[in-house]
Amino acid sequence: MSKSSGGTWAPSMLRRGPRNAEQMFPGSSGKSWFGNWFGKMPWLTKLCFLWLILVILAAALADLIPGLADPNYQGFVFGDGKTNEGPTASHWLGTDNVSRDILARLIYGARVSLIFAFSLVAIGIIVGGTLGSIAGYFRGLLETFLMALVDTWLSFPALIGLVFITTMLGMRNLLVLVLVGAVFVWPSYTRIARATALSVSGQDFVTAARAIGTSRKRILVREIFPNVLPALLAYSLVGLPVLIILESTLSFLGLGVEIPTASWGGMINQARQDLLINIWPAVWPAVTLFMTVYSFNNLADWVRTQAATRSAAI
Amino acid sequence: MSNMIAIRLTRLVVTVIVVSFVTFVGVNVLPGDPVNALIPIDAQQDREFVEQIREEWGLNDPLIVRYGRWLGDAVQGDLGRSLVTGQPVTDEITHRLPITLELMAVAVGFSLLIAVPLGAFTGYREGRRSDRLVSGFAQAGLSLPVFVTGLILIYVFALKLQWFPAVGWNRLSNGLGPNLKSVALPALSLAVTEIAVYTRVLRSDMIATLKENYILSARAKGLTDRFILFRHGLRPSLLTLVTVVGLNIGFLIGGSLVIEYLFAIPGLGKRLFSAIQQRDFMMVQAITVLITVFYVIVNTATDLVYMVVDPRIRRTN
């Protein structure tokens, strides 16, 4: 928010009337938008937001971080490291029970978690959004069939299915995991998209578009889908932490990315055998996982209250 | 009303058939030959012997035929024999099912015991410090994966304080005390997430209920806050909670799989896990279908209860 506009109110403004959107609705203009909504966050949400930025940046730039150890380098084997070491200058968070650097594994593990969660959200929005919009707008037999399929699909506990498929598959890299996860992610997105598309279809602007002769396909692409998207995005923010927990649970069961690739759940599973010898290799990934999931949840809650306040104000 | 029930029940049957078929196909399409589970590795080279076994177990028939046979036996209560142990699958399931059910029941019961007063109270104190504190903890509880909660409990109460066993299971036949001791930590691990979910749901419903006019009139009559909260406010607010408890069965099933793995509990989830690893297809098929049937029945029951309790839903349908 710039210093001259908003915030302070002068009688002269009443005479001239509001000159721009910023004066009518302080905080609504595009000017320094980041400062606006970041400033409105409670301090805890600010911390969560900063933590998420940190995790995402670290995961994205892991290869470029100077001095970061190789996450799979076992110093013990090459005679220049110890197993279960406490924090040192070269290993800030110590080493695990096969003498790998915990910090490096945390950062590369973040990459697995985040890529898994964000790709599945993207797939959910694209696949579920398309199918749901079509079902909700075109209706008919297709809708009946699709929704019956979705209902049946959702009546199957996803974790059981995931465990089932991942165990059967010989190879489990990140791409395979995402594809398997997609099988269980699309139905809930489809359901939400269809419900939103149903209510959007009844709105006046859709009737208006039809009245001026817009084709049904164009209405779907230009009117329905853009209005379904916000609902899907809101759901995604709630879904991200769930997906991160899902990935870590699979890794914990030994069904995530194959070892030795670092993942938070896998690190915890490996460390739990030596809990009484050295608890830290379990604590670090557990705390990181918790903080990341908590941050997403906290941020999602904040966005929800913001949306509620805004719609109440309108 | 009876029409609604008929529709739901039809859908239930259709869902179970579809899911069991998909599982059957999935089990047979994915890599791994069931014969390998049946006979030792050195005998697998003997083509003639393998062929004989395949014929004996009916593995050479088309998929549809095998599924039909399986379904025909299943509705008569015969789920086949385990490919690994040769024992009837039904025996093993009846042996392990009580453990998983007890685990889930204790978890849900305990969660409700904590979450209902907590949710009602925080709804009543909306926006106050106590509400913010509890809601903050609920958000944290929601962010703890089940296996992390379990690991923390194992570390503190089993390894350090040694109040409870870290792994294993004592059946009820071994005495109530040992049984309760072995169910405590696993159930609590599942309950932490559940408590968080239930508290949040009840809180938001309670806030809405307390704005109703009949609450105002009860207050005008001079009834005490506690009486209003639990006698006037709680019942209409419980509706969503009932649904959420039903919907969360899916979470509980997945969660108990993880918890049984972590605490080495010989329940159904752990058996499913090992059966998948051993490619024991009959066992996998039976347990998966059982879980789905259970899940779908609970969901249908929740829907029906919901309709019976709330007249408004009955009318709109």
Side-chain angles (χ1 to χ4, degrees):
Chain A
M1 197 183 292
S2 66
K3 273 181 183 168
S4 57
S5 69
T8 53
W9 185 86
S12 61
M13 283 164 67
L14 190 66
R15 218 180 323 117
R16 281 181 289 167
R19 280 167 303 176
N20 52 38
E22 180 59 45
Q23 285 182 356
M24 269 168 80
F25 306 106
S28 68
S29 82
K31 265 184 240 164
S32 84
W33 54 277
F34 178 80
N36 265 339
W37 57 257
F38 185 74
K40 276 193 292 187
M41 284 180 183
W43 62 270
L44 191 59
T45 311
K46 271 183 197 165
L47 280 183
C48 289
F49 183 73
L50 292 176
W51 168 254
L52 289 179
I53 297 278
L54 182 73
V55 172
I56 292 172
L57 279 182
L61 306 175
D63 300 320
L64 305 175
I65 298 174
L68 189 69
D70 178 346
N72 294 325
Y73 179 72
Q74 292 173 252
F76 178 67
V77 178
F78 302 97
D80 64 343
K82 291 186 201 143
T83 57
N84 285 323
E85 206 179 2
T88 59
S90 53
H91 304 296
W92 287 5
L93 298 181
T95 56
D96 67 5
N97 60 1
V98 288
S99 69
R100 292 175 299 201
D101 183 61
I102 292 179
L103 180 63
R105 290 187 72 72
L106 277 184
I107 290 176
Y108 280 92
R111 190 177 268 189
V112 172
S113 275
L114 294 179
I115 290 180
F116 180 81
F118 278 102
S119 346
L120 280 183
V121 160
I123 291 176
I125 289 179
I126 294 169
V127 176
T130 313
L131 290 178
S133 302
I134 291 174
Y137 179 59
F138 287 160
R139 311 295 308 266
L141 208 61
L142 182 75
E143 185 199 19
T144 318
F145 173 73
L146 205 58
M147 286 306 118
L149 190 65
V150 164
D151 283 344
T152 315
W153 215 285
L154 286 177
S155 63
F156 189 78
L159 188 65
I160 300 287
L162 273 172
V163 167
F164 180 77
I165 299 181
T166 45
T167 317
M168 292 288 187
L169 290 172
M171 180 189 62
R172 290 191 310 271
N173 56 31
L174 200 47
L175 180 68
V176 171
L177 280 183
V178 168
L179 290 179
V180 174
V183 171
F184 294 92
V185 160
W186 73 270
S188 50
Y189 279 88
T190 309
R191 184 180 268 185
I192 291 172
R194 178 244 179 193
T196 319
L198 265 183
S199 73
V200 171
S201 308
Q203 303 255 326
D204 286 343
F205 59 84
V206 176
T207 320
R210 199 180 308 147
I212 59 170
T214 317
S215 73
R216 273 157 67 86
K217 206 194 286 175
R218 197 180 158 81
I219 291 182
L220 183 75
V221 176
R222 298 296 295 266
E223 313 287 347
I224 306 288
F225 192 70
N227 285 294
V228 166
L229 201 57
L232 293 183
L233 286 176
Y235 179 71
S236 302
L237 200 53
V238 184
L240 274 173
V242 177
L243 288 170
I244 291 176
I245 288 185
L246 187 68
E247 189 278 325
S248 67
T249 306
L250 280 177
S251 305
F252 179 75
L253 293 173
L255 302 173
V257 287
E258 269 164 48
I259 51 174
T261 311
S263 64
W264 294 341
M267 292 173 75
I268 296 173
N269 190 30
Q270 199 197 354
R272 85 189 164 106
Q273 281 122 25
D274 294 338
L275 221 49
L276 282 178
I277 301 168
N278 183 10
I279 193 177
W280 295 104
V283 169
W284 292 121
V287 167
T288 315
L289 175 61
F290 170 74
M291 279 170 67
T292 308
V293 173
Y294 179 83
S295 299
F296 274 117
N297 277 332
N298 190 300
L299 206 63
D301 266 11
W302 181 76
V303 170
R304 192 160 44 213
T305 47
Q306 285 308 106
T309 334
R310 189 166 304 164
S311 62
I314 295 168
Chain B
M1 187 66 196
S2 58
N3 193 19
M4 284 297 296
I5 295 176
I7 292 175
R8 302 262 158 173
L9 290 183
T10 323
R11 223 166 71 186
L12 193 154
V13 174
V14 171
T15 306
V16 168
I17 289 177
V18 168
V19 169
S20 65
F21 182 68
V22 169
T23 319
F24 202 85
V25 173
V27 161
N28 284 286
V29 161
L30 288 170
D33 191 335
V35 170
N36 297 349
L38 277 170
I39 49 182
I41 295 177
D42 45 335
Q44 283 168 20
Q45 303 306 322
D46 189 350
R47 283 287 164 85
E48 228 166 90
F49 182 57
V50 168
E51 217 28 56
Q52 186 193 332
I53 293 286
R54 291 190 75 94
E55 204 59 51
E56 211 171 283
W57 284 75
L59 291 170
N60 285 333
D61 299 334
L63 203 61
I64 287 285
V65 175
R66 280 155 60 197
Y67 174 70
R69 197 162 53 212
W70 180 86
L71 190 67
D73 287 345
V75 290
Q76 293 168 38
D78 176 14
L79 293 167
R81 281 186 294 153
S82 161
L83 296 183
V84 174
T85 62
Q87 298 298 309
V89 170
T90 332
D91 285 2
E92 189 146 7
I93 288 180
T94 45
H95 187 63
R96 288 168 181 270
L97 186 62
I99 297 177
T100 305
L101 281 183
E102 184 189 349
L103 179 63
M104 287 165 61
V106 172
V108 172
F110 184 72
S111 317
L112 287 176
L113 213 61
I114 304 280
V116 168
L118 214 57
F121 179 72
T122 47
Y124 169 59
R125 308 281 287 181
E126 186 200 352
R128 306 281 195 86
R129 187 178 294 165
S130 52
D131 169 42
R132 287 211 304 271
L133 195 71
V134 173
S135 298
F137 270 111
Q139 204 173 45
L142 211 59
S143 312
L144 270 178
V146 175
F147 65 92
V148 172
T149 321
L151 218 50
I152 294 173
L153 292 178
I154 285 183
Y155 183 74
V156 176
F157 293 106
L159 297 181
K160 282 288 162 189
L161 296 172
Q162 306 204 330
W163 290 353
F164 299 97
V167 290
W169 187 263
N170 276 305
R171 284 177 175 273
L172 203 54
S173 50
N174 296 354
L176 185 64
N179 178 252
L180 285 182
K181 265 196 170 178
S182 51
V183 79
L185 294 187
L188 191 58
S189 325
L190 284 174
V192 167
T193 315
E194 296 285 279
I195 292 173
V197 175
Y198 297 167
T199 306
R200 281 162 67 106
V201 167
L202 185 59
R203 174 183 175 273
S204 65
D205 269 23
M206 200 62 169
I207 291 171
T209 309
L210 289 180
K211 288 183 178 134
E212 299 276 350
N213 282 332
Y214 61 84
I215 298 291
L216 190 67
S217 71
R219 198 162 278 162
K221 276 195 291 188
L223 299 177
T224 63
D225 277 8
R226 188 189 299 177
F227 190 85
I228 295 173
L229 203 58
F230 287 100
R231 297 305 291 271
H232 290 68
L234 193 56
R235 224 182 113 183
S237 313
L238 280 177
L239 276 174
T240 322
L241 188 61
V242 171
T243 327
V244 170
V245 172
L247 284 175
N248 258 27
I249 289 294
F251 162 80
L252 268 180
I253 292 170
S256 57
L257 178 88
V258 177
I259 285 300
E260 284 174 14
Y261 168 80
L262 176 60
F263 285 86
I265 297 170
L268 219 50
K270 190 159 187 296
R271 189 68 188 90
L272 176 65
F273 200 55
S274 62
I276 297 175
Q277 281 168 336
Q278 296 167 338
R279 303 286 196 274
D280 188 348
F281 292 159
M282 293 308 268
M283 189 66 81
V284 174
Q285 173 77 5
I287 298 179
T288 315
V289 170
L290 192 76
I291 287 172
T292 319
V293 171
F294 176 64
Y295 187 49
V296 178
I297 287 180
V298 169
N299 273 340
T300 314
T302 317
D303 275 5
L304 293 179
V305 167
Y306 203 66
M307 278 194 292
V308 171
V309 175
D310 194 341
R312 283 170 300 186
I313 297 166
R314 230 178 309 165
R315 245 175 274 140
T316 49
N317 272 311

